[in-house]
Structure formats: structure tokens, C-alpha cells
């Protein structure tokens, strides 16, 4: 049995922080001057260059160290501690029921994916015709 620890996946940390900030890959890409595909590649990488990490950290308004040391468990503990209370007014303020139909969201996503594929096909046909 090995006792070595697995290195943190920096790209996954960037992705989760970006999502928690409510930022899309496209917005982050514009903020640091790269393409959305580059952001996708960065988020799939275990290691990110320090210079890129610094730019991403500035765009996400966090420190590079915060990205490196990000832990999902810490966030869940913070949320749990903030919303655990015997005060019933706090508990009543938390709406547990979703305000949307999850199936509608799946259909919406599927329609967007189909439209994206149609756009790709149209673009490729346009390139072929030139």
C-alpha cells in the first residue's frame, strides 16, 4: 500500500471556484485574454503554469494559493456551519424546494447542444464552399 499523496488537480480547483463565482468559461477566457477552449484545457490539466495561474486568480478575485489549496470539504463545512442554527427564522428563510423543473433544464441543455452542433455544421459547410 502506497502512502504517497496524490497531487491536487489545479484545473479542477479552477473550475469549481469559477462555478462558485457564477462565471462561465467564456467570461474567464475574455478576462485573461485566451479562448474558451484554452480555459477548458486548463481546467482539465492537473498542473497549471504559475503565470497563467496568477492571471486566472486575479480574474477570479482570489489568490493563487487559494486555488492551489482549494478543498470542496472546506466549502461544505463553511456552508454547513453558517446554515446550522436553532433559530427557526433562519431555517424558514432557506428554500429547499427547487424553483424550476429539472427536466426542463435537461431539455434546454439538449436543445442548446443540438443548436451548437447545427452551427458547427453550417460553419464547416461555409468553409468548404469557399
Amino acid at each position: 500500500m502506497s502512502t504517497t499523496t496524490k497531487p491536487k488537480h489545479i484545473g479542477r480547483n479552477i473550475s469549481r471556484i469559477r462555478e462558485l463565482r457564477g462565471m462561465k468559461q467564456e467570461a474567464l477566457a475574455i478576462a485573461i485574454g485566451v479562448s474558451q477552449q484554452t480555459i477548458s484545457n486548463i481546467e482539465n490539466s492537473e498542473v497549471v503554469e504559475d503565470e497563467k495561474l496568477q492571471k486566472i486568480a486575479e480574474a477570479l478575485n482570489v489568490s493563487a494559493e487559494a486555488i492551489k489549496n482549494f478543498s470542496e470539504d472546506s466549502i461544505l463545512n463553511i456552508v454547513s456551519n453558517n446554515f446550522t442554527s436553532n433559530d427557526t427564522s433562519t431555517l424558514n428563510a432557506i428554500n429547499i424546494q427547487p424553483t424550476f423543473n429539472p427536466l426542463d433544464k435537461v431539455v434546454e441543455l439538449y436543445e442548446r447542444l443540438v443548436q451548437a452542433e447545427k452551427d458547427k455544421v453550417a460553419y464547416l459547410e461555409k468553409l468548404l464552399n469557399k
Side-chain angles (χ1 to χ4, degrees):
M1 185 161 95
S2 176
T3 59
T4 59
T5 59
K6 187 176 177 185
K8 292 206 177 226
H9 196 289
I10 303 300
R12 196 172 302 127
N13 291 352
I14 292 169
S15 175
R16 286 301 294 139
I17 293 171
R18 177 184 56 75
E19 290 167 356
L20 290 170
R21 292 276 188 200
M23 183 183 280
K24 295 188 176 210
Q25 283 183 343
E26 296 156 355
L28 181 57
I30 291 168
I32 66 169
V34 296
S35 69
Q36 180 271 328
Q37 186 63 40
T38 301
I39 296 298
S40 179
N41 290 339
I42 289 171
E43 289 182 355
N44 288 322
S45 301
E46 271 192 49
V47 180
V48 177
E49 298 171 8
D50 286 338
E51 185 178 314
K52 281 185 186 174
L53 185 62
Q54 188 59 42
K55 285 182 180 179
I56 291 168
E58 288 173 12
L60 292 173
N61 204 18
V62 296
S63 69
E65 287 301 312
I67 293 174
K68 289 178 182 178
N69 298 324
F70 177 79
S71 166
E72 198 79 28
D73 294 335
S74 317
I75 298 299
L76 292 175
N77 286 338
I78 291 168
V79 170
S80 175
N81 290 340
N82 287 335
F83 288 104
T84 302
S85 172
N86 293 330
D87 182 8
T88 57
S89 63
T90 305
L91 294 176
N92 290 336
I94 302 171
N95 185 4
I96 306 292
Q97 300 298 320
T99 58
F100 59 89
N101 183 350
L103 189 54
D104 289 342
K105 292 293 184 182
V106 171
V107 170
E108 180 184 324
L109 175 62
Y110 178 74
E111 288 172 347
R112 286 193 346 227
L113 290 171
V114 168
Q115 185 59 46
E117 290 303 315
K118 286 180 182 177
D119 293 345
K120 286 180 192 174
V121 169
Y123 179 70
L124 290 173
E125 286 176 346
K126 179 181 168 186
L127 287 177
L128 285 173
N129 290 337
K130 285 186 178 182

